[in-house]
Amino acid sequence: MSASGGTKAIVAALGANAGIAVTKFIAYGLTGSSSMLAEGIHSVADSGNQALLLLGGKRAAREATPQHPFGYGRERYIYAFIVSIVLFSVGGLFACYEGYHKIHETLEGHPNDLLTSKWWWVPLVVLGIAIGLETYSFRTAIVESNAVRGKASWKSFVRNAKAPELPVVLLEDLAALVGLFLALLGVGLTLLTGDGIYDGIFTVAIGVLLVIVAIILALETKSLLLGESATEEHVRAIEKALVGDEVDHIIHMKTLHLGPEELMVAAKIAVRHDETAADIARGIDKAEARVRAAVPIACVIYLEPDIDRADAAAK
């Protein structure tokens, strides 16, 4: 994924969520709707998450140091993991608590502020505007994702993407849109039936939705943090590029993503037993050049020449 594409989607989401958060809190202040409060906190959490993704991208661009010789590319994974924690705690758990609190108050007979407020129509207007802004943000994320996902399905793209920003923004925007429709249902049913319990029920539903999305993000980001190999497409390209006049075949090979656009390749390659050290060195240089041409993100390459003893024994 290109950094520019991810940044464009993040900035679009940040602008949309910041504006939405303000309008939601205004609606909550006027009506006391728990759905509006939960959605306001959700938008604040999303805005903070997008700021974290931008910060992670900036810090990951730092040059390598003696203490961190492979650079800081994985900082993007760390900040994406923090995003999942924020979404789980600040967004999901708070919404669940607020919804439970509203249901408890309703069952005890407390009056619902939304039903008694003269501003009852404000949440409906705010949710309509928010749906429009989130749709724009979601569309931007889809367009940017389509530029890099190729023929992969959406599920495969989210699960296998090495750059975390676009999958995070996609899932956040999807959760935000679904959450807005849940809030609209909660507010609408409360106004139609005169029963405030619907406001609380759908607030809990918003919280459960955010918790589920946060868990998915955490699991996918954890895999990136642990270290993932290159994609099958890149592995095939590297294997094809390594084998040449100087390299009989690959004995074994391992790859590891140091960051979304940084790949390490380590391979033991079979060379002919009668080659000189100078010939082997030239062959390794040529093999490395072929790999970098085939897979440009292969920035760190370690090749160990060896004689395949199985082949030597057979001869």
Side-chain angles (χ1 to χ4, degrees), residues 25-39:
F25 282 123
I26 292 174
Y28 167 69
L30 293 174
T31 64
S33 168
S34 63
S35 295
M36 287 291 93
L37 177 59
E39 276 297 306

Side-chain angles (χ1 to χ4, degrees), residues 170-216:
L170 275 170
L171 288 177
E172 279 193 343
D173 284 351
L174 178 61
L177 270 176
V178 176
L180 286 169
F181 281 109
L182 290 175
L184 190 60
L185 279 172
V187 172
L189 287 174
T190 295
L191 293 173
L192 286 173
T193 64
D195 190 346
I197 199 168
Y198 291 105
D199 195 21
I201 290 173
F202 282 95
T203 301
V204 172
I206 292 169
V208 172
L209 169 70
L210 295 181
V211 167
I212 292 172
V213 171
I215 290 173
I216 293 172

Side-chain angles (χ1 to χ4, degrees), residues 102-164:
K102 181 62 70 174
I103 292 171
H104 182 70
E105 283 187 342
T106 303
L107 293 176
E108 286 191 341
H110 293 281
N112 188 283
D113 294 333
L114 177 61
L115 294 172
T116 59
S117 173
K118 65 178 181 179
W119 303 102
W120 59 268
W121 52 271
V122 171
L124 300 176
V125 174
V126 167
L127 288 171
I129 295 172
I131 288 172
L133 291 173
E134 282 292 357
T135 300
Y136 166 75
S137 175
F138 191 40
R139 180 184 176 278
T140 301
I142 289 174
V143 170
E144 297 301 324
S145 298
N146 280 334
V148 295
R149 75 182 179 95
K151 297 180 180 179
S153 66
W154 285 109
K155 179 180 178 181
S156 176
F157 173 69
V158 170
R159 294 197 63 180
N160 299 320
K162 305 305 180 184

Side-chain angles (χ1 to χ4, degrees), residues 43-117:
S43 293
V44 169
D46 280 353
S47 298
N49 289 341
Q50 275 105 49
L52 285 172
L53 291 176
L54 290 173
L55 177 61
K58 183 177 180 180
R59 291 182 61 83
R62 290 178 294 167
E63 295 292 331
T65 64
Q67 188 175 6
H68 298 92
F70 293 115
Y72 293 85
R74 286 198 181 186
E75 285 223 35
R76 287 166 68 179
Y77 301 151
I78 294 172
Y79 280 88
F81 187 75
I82 294 173
V83 162
S84 67
I85 296 173
V86 172
L87 192 63
F88 179 84
S89 56
V90 178
L93 295 185
F94 178 84
C96 288
Y97 167 78
E98 178 61 24
Y100 167 79
H101 182 66
K102 181 62 70 174
I103 292 171
H104 182 70
E105 283 187 342
T106 303
L107 293 176
E108 286 191 341
H110 293 281
N112 188 283
D113 294 333
L114 177 61
L115 294 172
T116 59
S117 173

